[in-house]
Amino acid sequence: MKHTASTYRSYTEPTIMSNGEKIDSEIGRRLSQHDLTVPYTEDTGPKKHNQNVMATMTERDPYQVNDDVRVGFDDVFAEPDGMHSFDFVWEYSFLTFSSSKLWCYKIITAVCSLPFSLCWGIQFAFLTFCHIWYVMPCLKMWVVSLDWVGKSWSHCVRTFADPVFESAGRFLGNIRVSTSSPTE
């Protein structure tokens, strides 16, 4: 069956994929005409336990920390004008790329996220502990201990250097330079 441009206009664009990636509208239109099962679903998130937990579960990157790793099919693959593969190859390549990226990420995350979360939690807890109980007391000790050095240095500069530079400034400040062109 041949599809016309009016068929494309009547189609509504699919929703966002479950990994948050938006689908290219032209490919989505063609895929819907082939009646393919496409992995486009909205994440509904867990049941409502708490407003804060729900907000965290729906917006997982509120500060856009990982925007640089958001890679879509069209960020990786592009065919220049005059060099196009068959439409069905391009469409199925899109499906294969998107689905494999999504499911590989989900599987790797399911296997590795808990151990990595534990390791990073311990690491940041240790870092926080060291900062609170070692680094800040050491810095405070240095500030208190070296306070006399700052005061002594300040007195030395005011006593010895200030008069020398003030005298040099007054002496050199009276020098006048004038330029004149040679007369012939």
Side-chain angles (χ1 to χ4, degrees):
M1 178 178 173
K2 187 162 180 123
H3 296 282
T4 62
S6 63
T7 306
Y8 291 134
R9 280 191 220 112
S10 66
Y11 176 73
T12 59
E13 189 173 332
T15 60
I16 298 174
M17 291 181 59
S18 61
N19 66 350
E21 183 177 310
K22 213 172 193 184
I23 176 177
D24 180 73
S25 59
E26 183 63 29
I27 292 174
R29 287 186 191 114
R30 284 192 239 127
L31 289 175
S32 68
Q33 294 160 2
H34 294 291
D35 293 326
L36 297 172
T37 304
V38 186
Y40 303 107
T41 59
E42 275 189 57
D43 278 343
T44 56
K47 295 179 182 175
K48 291 185 180 181
H49 297 296
N50 182 331
Q51 279 301 78
N52 294 337
V53 172
M54 192 61 182
T56 303
M57 294 305 290
T58 56
E59 181 61 40
R60 296 184 184 182
D61 192 8
Y63 305 113
Q64 287 77 36
V65 174
N66 292 314
D67 273 349
D68 51 336
V69 296
R70 187 174 290 174
V71 179
F73 181 79
D74 53 349
D75 295 326
V76 178
F77 301 104
E79 292 182 331
D81 290 337
M83 295 300 292
H84 288 187
S85 61
F86 295 111
D87 284 346
F88 73 93
V89 171
W90 188 254
E91 293 163 4
Y92 285 110
S93 297
F94 171 80
L95 272 177
T96 304
F97 175 84
S98 300
S99 298
S100 62
K101 184 179 86 163
L102 170 70
W103 286 105
C104 285
Y105 176 77
K106 286 188 179 210
I107 291 168
I108 291 169
T109 303
V111 172
C112 298
S113 66
L114 293 177
F116 274 92
S117 297
L118 177 67
C119 291
W120 283 112
I122 292 169
Q123 178 72 27
F124 280 107
F126 184 73
L127 180 68
T128 304
F129 172 80
C130 287
H131 184 77
I132 291 170
W133 294 101
Y134 183 74
V135 174
M136 289 309 293
C138 286
L139 289 175
K140 190 64 174 178
M141 181 186 67
W142 278 103
V143 167
V144 169
S145 300
L146 296 178
D147 187 48
W148 66 271
V149 173
K151 289 179 181 176
S152 300
W153 181 257
S154 168
H155 289 299
C156 288
V157 167
R158 276 187 264 137
T159 303
F160 300 112
D162 281 357
V164 171
F165 288 111
E166 188 175 332
S167 299
R170 288 185 182 191
F171 175 73
L172 296 174
N174 290 327
I175 297 176
R176 302 281 182 237
V177 177
S178 61
T179 60
S180 62
S181 61
T183 55
E184 294 182 40

